[in-house]
Amino acid sequence: RRYPTVEVRAETFNGSTHVPVPSDSAFLKALLFELRLIDDHIFVEHRDTCTRINHSSVYSVRTEGGDLWPVLAFQRRGLIYACLPLVEETLEPRPPLLTVSGLSQGLALLLGIAEYISPSQKNEAEISAKIGQLRNLLIQACPLGTPLNTNICSLNSSFDDIQEMPTDENQPAWRSNTYKGKPQVNVCITEKVKCMQYDKRDVVDTWQVYGAVNCKCDIEGSAPNVTLSLNLPTNGPPLQDIVVHHCVTSVDPAMLMSSSAEPLDDSVYNGPYKFPFVPPSDSFNLCYYTSQVPVPPILGCYQVIEEGSQLKITVNLKLHESIKNSFEYCEAHIPFFNRGPIAQLEYKVSYGQLDLSREKSLLVWVIGQKFPKSLEVSLTGAVSFGTASKEHPTDYVCTGNTAYVKLYFRIPDFTLTGCYVDQHSIQIFVPGKPKITASRELISSDYYLWNSKAPAPMVYKTLF
């Protein structure tokens, strides 16, 4: 989808330094090249040099007319989502990313499109049908190049079904329809923990927590007012990098000033975090945040030693005593790259069970729903391999004994920060007593234990 009016505005801002958007085919080829999806075997200095490491999903795409920036692009489930946001200032010198409002708008729109397409990825016909409807949906969501509604799932795919704009002048644009029935509010806090553990003296382990507060408010009225508070336990780590939904009407400025890029001090804002808002009709994320928690939930160590034709492996895991010992699932996946199928396996586990994947290149250690009373589990084993074939997994980073264990787990009714919603603090200014449901969960995301007997890959250290 192209917006000529936006391109004219971009040319106005940049004058002689303006880089025109090339044809769709030329842009696609340049984008695939920048993402290393074509010609990845060729070293190109401006793209592949070690001095240029991209820490975000914002790229500079080289075209015949010059470098297009900022191109926002990411991959999800085999599809590429990309857009070119308007920068409402000159591009020389390039402004900081945080000052470009079009980036957050473009990201919200792309995530809305991704959410609309992803759930139906059962076959290519359904995907094609959904993509075919996108043009009509974008006319509603982004009619003149400015996103008005990024929740694509809430829109109608047919022009015949488009509702008239609400006649109530107090009803905000993001409330696409009005609810009739008993008022109810559902709130879910989802925290994801990323972790890199190396078990080395000269390499520092890293971990980070990312939280999102999802709300679904079924409330009558054109513009109902809701106030929700997030609370932390005593001495809980403060929430940082807080980003709020546009429906939030006001926030304490101190809440938004806490940044993970700066060291914590005693004056940092630690709640309660109040959010007054007029909710959209559909489910939405009220806010996002990060936090610097003192320890990761599961501490581990992974060792791989090659002895002749065998690999001797040892995995030790310990659940921190502050973590709720009640999992929906907890598994450790141990992949073996650049080798043949596992031909022989001898092992001993102190807890849980070990399974071999169908393609015989992955060990799945199912720990289950609880750690034992000691909170420690271990796995030792010896693995030998058959002849490698093209069907078995390869990895350019994991060569030799450089390998990892990846943990997958979910702990319901628990957050690593301790963050929770006090149901009694939720204020809804509508008649009737609403039903309020609050839940929370902790989920692993990119949780790696690297082999301590091999050099840890530098790319994972710098980009984490």
Side-chain angles (χ1 to χ4, degrees), residues 82-393:
C83 69
L84 178 59
L86 173 67
V87 180
E88 296 184 285
E89 54 185 301
T90 59
L91 294 177
E92 295 295 340
R94 287 183 181 175
L97 294 182
L98 289 176
T99 65
V100 182
S101 61
L103 281 173
S104 57
Q105 294 175 337
L107 179 60
L109 183 63
L110 291 181
L111 290 175
I113 294 173
E115 184 181 359
Y116 166 74
I117 293 176
S118 295
S120 67
Q121 287 200 328
K122 297 176 182 177
N123 56 61
E124 291 189 12
E126 287 192 29
I127 301 173
S128 298
K130 287 239 172 185
I131 293 175
Q133 294 169 352
L134 266 181
R135 182 172 181 81
N136 287 352
L137 294 173
L138 281 175
I139 290 175
Q140 303 170 58
C142 192
L144 295 174
T146 300
L148 301 181
N149 188 351
T150 57
N151 188 354
I152 307 298
C153 295
S154 69
L155 301 175
N156 300 289
S157 59
S158 170
F159 283 118
D160 298 333
D161 298 332
I162 297 177
Q163 300 176 358
E164 294 182 4
M165 290 298 291
T167 55
D168 190 337
E169 61 182 15
N170 295 320
Q171 182 169 340
W174 58 84
R175 281 186 67 81
S176 55
N177 52 60
T178 55
Y179 173 78
K180 298 292 183 183
K182 185 177 180 180
Q184 53 187 359
V185 175
N186 293 301
V187 184
C188 179
I189 302 175
T190 298
E191 286 188 356
K192 294 185 177 181
V193 54
K194 289 189 173 186
C195 190
M196 293 281 175
Q197 296 182 39
Y198 302 95
D199 191 33
K200 291 175 178 286
R201 290 185 177 182
D202 60 331
V203 183
V204 179
D205 294 345
T206 57
W207 58 92
Q208 178 66 282
V209 178
Y210 303 85
V213 181
N214 184 267
C215 298
K216 178 71 165 69
C217 301
D218 294 326
I219 305 172
E220 292 187 358
S222 58
N225 290 300
V226 180
T227 299
L228 181 148
S229 294
L230 299 181
N231 296 274
L232 294 175
T234 306
N235 298 325
L239 306 185
Q240 298 176 286
D241 306 322
I242 298 175
V243 178
V244 299
H245 192 272
H246 57 72
C247 72
V248 176
T249 54
S250 65
V251 289
D252 189 326
M255 185 192 306
L256 304 179
M257 294 301 291
S258 179
S259 170
S260 59
E262 300 174 358
L264 292 172
D265 56 41
D266 295 336
S267 64
V268 70
Y269 191 88
N270 57 4
Y273 303 86
K274 284 193 172 184
F275 300 91
F277 60 95
V278 177
S281 307
D282 298 283
S283 175
F284 71 103
N285 286 328
L286 177 66
C287 68
Y288 300 91
Y289 62 84
T290 68
S291 183
Q292 300 181 43
V293 295
V295 291
I298 299 177
L299 294 167
C301 129
Y302 179 40
Q303 294 184 350
V304 180
I305 301 175
E306 195 159 0
E307 295 184 358
S309 60
Q310 281 189 330
L311 287 184
K312 297 290 184 70
I313 64 171
T314 303
V315 184
N316 294 311
L317 302 176
K318 181 179 181 181
L319 180 68
H320 195 270
E321 56 268 16
S322 66
I323 306 303
K324 181 182 178 183
N325 190 9
S326 179
F327 293 78
E328 181 180 308
Y329 58 85
C330 182
E331 297 180 354
H333 289 201
I334 311 170
F336 295 97
F337 299 103
N338 310 310
R339 301 177 187 272
I342 295 175
Q344 189 173 359
L345 171 64
E346 299 174 2
Y347 69 91
K348 180 181 178 181
V349 290
S350 66
Y351 195 79
Q353 67 181 49
L354 189 68
D355 297 326
L356 178 61
S357 67
R358 181 178 298 177
E359 68 276 7
K360 296 185 177 181
S361 61
L362 173 70
L363 297 179
V364 179
W365 182 11
V366 181
I367 297 166
Q369 296 181 322
K370 273 186 177 295
F371 274 65
K373 287 186 178 180
S374 65
L375 302 182
E376 297 185 33
V377 295
S378 63
L379 160 68
T380 56
V383 186
S384 58
F385 304 89
T387 305
S389 66
K390 293 181 178 179
E391 298 176 358
H392 289 274

Side-chain angles (χ1 to χ4, degrees), residues 27-98:
F27 174 78
L28 176 60
K29 184 177 180 180
L31 178 61
L32 293 177
F33 181 82
E34 181 64 30
L35 296 177
R36 295 179 58 84
L37 296 176
I38 58 174
D39 296 338
D40 62 327
H41 60 286
I42 302 173
F43 176 81
V44 180
E45 186 170 355
H46 82 270
R47 180 190 69 179
D48 303 319
T49 175
C50 291
T51 60
R52 182 177 177 268
I53 298 177
N54 206 12
H55 293 268
S56 68
S57 298
V58 180
Y59 299 89
S60 176
V61 175
R62 182 157 295 186
T63 67
E64 288 187 2
D67 291 350
L68 276 179
W69 183 90
V71 176
L72 183 61
F74 60 87
Q75 298 181 62
R76 180 175 291 185
R77 296 187 182 180
L79 295 176
I80 302 172
Y81 299 85
C83 69
L84 178 59
L86 173 67
V87 180
E88 296 184 285
E89 54 185 301
T90 59
L91 294 177
E92 295 295 340
R94 287 183 181 175
L97 294 182
L98 289 176

Side-chain angles (χ1 to χ4, degrees), residues 383-448:
V383 186
S384 58
F385 304 89
T387 305
S389 66
K390 293 181 178 179
E391 298 176 358
H392 289 274
T394 59
D395 192 288
Y396 294 110
V397 173
C398 299
T399 57
N401 286 349
T402 301
Y404 62 77
V405 173
K406 188 173 184 181
L407 300 186
Y408 296 85
F409 57 83
R410 177 182 181 270
I411 306 177
D413 195 28
F414 180 80
T415 51
L416 200 53
T417 61
C419 182
Y420 66 96
V421 174
D422 183 0
Q423 298 187 30
H424 301 291
S425 70
I426 298 180
Q427 299 177 327
I428 304 175
F429 303 98
V430 293
K433 187 177 181 180
K435 178 183 177 182
I436 298 174
T437 305
S439 60
R440 54 183 186 163
E441 61 184 356
L442 176 67
I443 302 174
S444 63
S445 172
D446 296 333
Y447 205 106
Y448 292 95

